[in-house]
Amino acid sequence: MARAVSPAAPARDVRRLAVVALVLLAAAVALMAVASSGALAGRDVGTAVGLADERRPAATATALVVTEIGNTAASAGLALVVGGALAWQGFRAEGLCVAIVPLLTSVVFSALKRVLDRPRPPEELQVMAVANESLPSGHAAMAAAAWTVLVLVLWPRCAARGRALLSGFAVLWVAAVGITRIYLGVHWLSDVLAGWALGAGLAFAGVAVLAAVTARRAAEV
Protein backbone atom coordinates (compact mmCIF):
# COMPACT_ATOMS: atom_id res chain seq x y z
CA MET A 1 0.00 0.00 0.00
CA ALA A 2 1.32 3.44 -0.92
CA ARG A 3 2.08 5.66 2.04
CA ALA A 4 -0.06 8.76 2.30
CA VAL A 5 1.78 12.02 1.85
CA SER A 6 1.11 14.63 4.49
CA PRO A 7 -0.34 17.89 3.12
CA ALA A 8 2.22 19.68 5.28
CA ALA A 9 5.16 18.07 3.43
CA PRO A 10 5.20 20.52 0.48
CA ALA A 11 4.98 23.44 2.90
CA ARG A 12 7.97 22.11 4.83
CA ASP A 13 9.93 21.78 1.60
CA VAL A 14 9.17 25.38 0.70
CA ARG A 15 10.23 26.58 4.14
CA ARG A 16 13.49 24.62 4.01
CA LEU A 17 14.35 26.00 0.59
CA ALA A 18 13.46 29.52 1.67
CA VAL A 19 15.57 29.29 4.84
CA VAL A 20 18.62 28.08 2.88
CA ALA A 21 18.08 30.86 0.35
CA LEU A 22 17.91 33.50 3.08
CA VAL A 23 21.06 32.18 4.78
CA LEU A 24 23.03 32.16 1.52
CA LEU A 25 21.83 35.59 0.44
CA ALA A 26 22.56 37.02 3.88
CA ALA A 27 26.07 35.55 3.63
CA ALA A 28 26.51 37.15 0.21
CA VAL A 29 25.40 40.54 1.50
CA ALA A 30 27.69 40.25 4.53
CA LEU A 31 30.66 39.24 2.39
CA MET A 32 30.11 42.11 -0.02
CA ALA A 33 29.72 44.62 2.82
CA VAL A 34 32.86 43.46 4.61
CA ALA A 35 34.87 43.21 1.39
CA SER A 36 33.80 46.71 0.34
CA SER A 37 34.94 48.07 3.68
CA GLY A 38 38.47 46.79 3.07
CA ALA A 39 38.43 44.49 6.09
CA LEU A 40 39.34 41.48 3.94
CA ALA A 41 42.09 43.21 1.96
CA GLY A 42 44.92 41.41 3.75
CA ARG A 43 43.42 37.96 3.14
CA ASP A 44 42.51 38.82 -0.45
CA VAL A 45 45.95 40.14 -1.33
CA GLY A 46 47.72 37.29 0.43
CA THR A 47 45.68 34.68 -1.45
CA ALA A 48 46.16 36.42 -4.80
CA VAL A 49 49.92 36.81 -4.40
CA GLY A 50 50.31 33.27 -3.07
CA LEU A 51 48.50 31.75 -6.06
CA ALA A 52 50.40 33.97 -8.49
CA ASP A 53 53.69 32.69 -7.04
CA GLU A 54 52.56 29.09 -7.58
CA ARG A 55 51.54 29.43 -11.24
CA ARG A 56 52.84 26.84 -13.67
CA PRO A 57 52.35 26.87 -17.47
CA ALA A 58 50.22 23.71 -17.61
CA ALA A 59 48.04 24.76 -14.70
CA THR A 60 47.61 28.24 -16.14
CA ALA A 61 46.60 26.84 -19.54
CA THR A 62 44.04 24.58 -17.86
CA ALA A 63 42.70 27.46 -15.78
CA LEU A 64 42.23 29.56 -18.92
CA VAL A 65 40.22 26.78 -20.56
CA VAL A 66 38.03 26.24 -17.47
CA THR A 67 37.38 29.94 -16.98
CA GLU A 68 36.41 30.32 -20.65
CA ILE A 69 34.09 27.30 -20.68
CA GLY A 70 32.61 28.46 -17.38
CA ASN A 71 31.96 32.04 -18.46
CA THR A 72 28.67 33.79 -17.74
CA ALA A 73 27.25 33.28 -21.23
CA ALA A 74 27.99 29.54 -21.12
CA SER A 75 26.28 29.15 -17.74
CA ALA A 76 23.22 31.02 -19.00
CA GLY A 77 23.21 28.99 -22.21
CA LEU A 78 23.37 25.70 -20.31
CA ALA A 79 20.39 26.73 -18.20
CA LEU A 80 18.40 27.80 -21.24
CA VAL A 81 19.07 24.50 -23.03
CA VAL A 82 18.14 22.36 -20.02
CA GLY A 83 15.17 24.57 -19.22
CA GLY A 84 13.94 24.26 -22.80
CA ALA A 85 14.36 20.48 -22.70
CA LEU A 86 12.34 20.27 -19.48
CA ALA A 87 9.58 22.45 -20.92
CA TRP A 88 9.50 20.33 -24.11
CA GLN A 89 9.03 17.23 -21.95
CA GLY A 90 6.03 18.83 -20.25
CA PHE A 91 7.73 20.24 -17.14
CA ARG A 92 7.05 23.86 -18.04
CA ALA A 93 7.29 25.37 -14.56
CA GLU A 94 10.54 23.55 -13.85
CA GLY A 95 11.98 24.55 -17.22
CA LEU A 96 11.04 28.17 -16.67
CA CYS A 97 12.68 28.14 -13.24
CA VAL A 98 15.92 26.66 -14.60
CA ALA A 99 16.04 29.23 -17.41
CA ILE A 100 15.12 32.29 -15.33
CA VAL A 101 17.36 31.84 -12.28
CA PRO A 102 20.70 32.41 -14.10
CA LEU A 103 19.25 35.31 -16.09
CA LEU A 104 18.04 36.94 -12.87
CA THR A 105 21.44 36.28 -11.32
CA SER A 106 23.10 38.07 -14.24
CA VAL A 107 20.94 41.14 -13.70
CA VAL A 108 21.58 41.15 -9.94
CA PHE A 109 25.36 40.69 -10.02
CA SER A 110 25.74 43.27 -12.82
CA ALA A 111 23.82 45.83 -10.77
CA LEU A 112 25.84 45.04 -7.64
CA LYS A 113 29.11 45.44 -9.54
CA ARG A 114 28.12 48.94 -10.62
CA VAL A 115 26.96 49.94 -7.15
CA LEU A 116 29.97 48.54 -5.27
CA ASP A 117 32.50 49.51 -7.96
CA ARG A 118 35.34 47.50 -6.43
CA PRO A 119 38.59 47.52 -8.41
CA ARG A 120 40.04 44.32 -9.85
CA PRO A 121 43.40 42.99 -8.67
CA PRO A 122 46.30 45.01 -10.13
CA GLU A 123 47.46 44.26 -13.67
CA GLU A 124 50.71 42.70 -12.48
CA LEU A 125 48.70 39.87 -10.91
CA GLN A 126 46.45 39.31 -13.92
CA VAL A 127 47.12 36.60 -16.49
CA MET A 128 44.36 38.01 -18.69
CA ALA A 129 43.51 41.70 -18.75
CA VAL A 130 40.14 42.51 -17.15
CA ALA A 131 39.25 46.03 -16.12
CA ASN A 132 35.58 46.21 -15.12
CA GLU A 133 34.19 46.02 -11.57
CA SER A 134 35.23 43.08 -9.42
CA LEU A 135 32.62 42.41 -6.70
CA PRO A 136 30.91 39.95 -6.88
CA SER A 137 32.45 37.52 -9.37
CA GLY A 138 30.04 37.05 -12.27
CA HIS A 139 31.62 33.74 -13.28
CA ALA A 140 31.23 32.36 -9.75
CA ALA A 141 27.69 33.66 -9.35
CA MET A 142 26.45 32.35 -12.69
CA ALA A 143 28.10 28.94 -12.31
CA ALA A 144 26.65 28.57 -8.81
CA ALA A 145 23.19 29.72 -9.91
CA ALA A 146 23.01 27.49 -13.00
CA TRP A 147 24.33 24.32 -11.41
CA THR A 148 22.50 24.74 -8.10
CA VAL A 149 19.14 25.20 -9.81
CA LEU A 150 19.88 22.23 -12.09
CA VAL A 151 20.67 19.97 -9.14
CA LEU A 152 17.61 21.09 -7.18
CA VAL A 153 15.17 20.73 -10.07
CA LEU A 154 16.58 17.46 -11.43
CA TRP A 155 17.10 15.87 -8.01
CA PRO A 156 13.59 14.31 -7.72
CA ARG A 157 13.93 12.85 -11.23
CA CYS A 158 17.28 11.15 -10.67
CA ALA A 159 18.13 7.82 -9.10
CA ALA A 160 20.62 7.72 -6.22
CA ARG A 161 23.61 7.24 -8.54
CA GLY A 162 22.45 10.05 -10.83
CA ARG A 163 22.06 12.37 -7.87
CA ALA A 164 25.56 11.60 -6.65
CA LEU A 165 27.11 12.13 -10.08
CA LEU A 166 25.16 15.33 -10.79
CA SER A 167 25.76 16.96 -7.42
CA GLY A 168 29.41 15.84 -7.33
CA PHE A 169 30.14 17.26 -10.77
CA ALA A 170 28.25 20.48 -9.95
CA VAL A 171 30.28 21.09 -6.80
CA LEU A 172 33.59 20.38 -8.52
CA TRP A 173 32.78 22.49 -11.57
CA VAL A 174 31.49 25.49 -9.63
CA ALA A 175 34.54 25.32 -7.36
CA ALA A 176 36.89 25.03 -10.35
CA VAL A 177 35.38 28.04 -12.13
CA GLY A 178 35.65 30.21 -9.03
CA ILE A 179 39.17 29.13 -8.17
CA THR A 180 40.41 29.85 -11.69
CA ARG A 181 39.24 33.43 -11.35
CA ILE A 182 41.48 33.90 -8.31
CA TYR A 183 44.34 31.88 -9.79
CA LEU A 184 44.33 33.97 -12.97
CA GLY A 185 44.46 37.16 -10.92
CA VAL A 186 41.19 38.64 -12.16
CA HIS A 187 39.23 38.38 -8.90
CA TRP A 188 39.84 38.59 -5.19
CA LEU A 189 38.95 35.63 -2.96
CA SER A 190 36.06 37.56 -1.39
CA ASP A 191 34.65 38.34 -4.86
CA VAL A 192 34.36 34.63 -5.59
CA LEU A 193 32.96 33.71 -2.17
CA ALA A 194 30.30 36.40 -2.51
CA GLY A 195 29.50 35.24 -6.05
CA TRP A 196 29.08 31.63 -4.97
CA ALA A 197 26.75 32.61 -2.10
CA LEU A 198 24.74 34.99 -4.29
CA GLY A 199 24.25 32.53 -7.14
CA ALA A 200 23.36 29.59 -4.91
CA GLY A 201 21.06 31.77 -2.80
CA LEU A 202 19.12 32.97 -5.83
CA ALA A 203 18.85 29.37 -7.07
CA PHE A 204 17.38 28.20 -3.77
CA ALA A 205 15.02 31.19 -3.77
CA GLY A 206 13.87 30.38 -7.31
CA VAL A 207 13.24 26.73 -6.48
CA ALA A 208 11.40 27.77 -3.29
CA VAL A 209 9.04 29.82 -5.45
CA LEU A 210 8.69 26.87 -7.84
CA ALA A 211 7.88 24.53 -4.93
CA ALA A 212 5.30 26.96 -3.55
CA VAL A 213 3.57 27.32 -6.93
CA THR A 214 3.62 23.55 -7.49
CA ALA A 215 2.18 22.87 -4.03
CA ARG A 216 -0.56 25.44 -4.57
CA ARG A 217 -1.54 23.92 -7.90
CA ALA A 218 -1.59 20.43 -6.38
CA ALA A 219 -3.84 21.64 -3.57
CA GLU A 220 -6.30 23.09 -6.09
CA VAL A 221 -6.67 19.82 -7.99
Side-chain angles (χ1 to χ4, degrees), residues 18-39:
V19 167
V20 175
L22 286 172
V23 170
L24 287 168
L25 292 174
V29 170
L31 278 165
M32 287 185 282
V34 175
S36 296
S37 73

Side-chain angles (χ1 to χ4, degrees), residues 89-182:
Q89 292 175 0
F91 302 106
R92 293 182 181 178
E94 291 84 348
L96 190 62
C97 179
V98 169
I100 286 178
V101 164
L103 298 180
L104 175 62
T105 302
S106 178
V107 172
V108 172
F109 87 69
S110 297
L112 287 169
K113 279 178 177 286
R114 293 187 178 90
V115 171
L116 298 173
D117 196 25
R118 188 189 197 190
R120 296 269 182 169
E123 290 184 4
E124 56 266 26
L125 290 178
Q126 295 186 15
V127 173
M128 48 195 293
V130 183
N132 67 332
E133 304 89 349
S134 191
L135 180 67
S137 165
H139 279 63
M142 288 291 282
W147 283 98
T148 301
V149 75
L150 283 176
V151 169
L152 291 173
V153 169
L154 296 178
W155 189 268
R157 294 168 178 78
C158 293
R161 184 175 182 181
R163 291 175 177 179
L165 290 172
L166 177 62
S167 56
F169 178 82
V171 169
L172 291 174
W173 179 251
V174 172
V177 170
I179 291 170
T180 62
R181 305 304 286 169
I182 309 167

Side-chain angles (χ1 to χ4, degrees), residues 24-101:
L24 287 168
L25 292 174
V29 170
L31 278 165
M32 287 185 282
V34 175
S36 296
S37 73
L40 299 177
R43 180 65 59 85
D44 281 336
V45 172
T47 302
V49 172
L51 286 175
D53 289 342
E54 295 298 323
R55 285 180 190 143
R56 299 293 182 271
T60 300
T62 302
L64 286 167
V65 171
V66 171
T67 208
E68 184 61 31
I69 296 174
N71 65 29
T72 56
S75 293
L78 171 68
L80 287 172
V81 169
V82 176
L86 285 168
W88 183 74
Q89 292 175 0
F91 302 106
R92 293 182 181 178
E94 291 84 348
L96 190 62
C97 179
V98 169
I100 286 178
V101 164

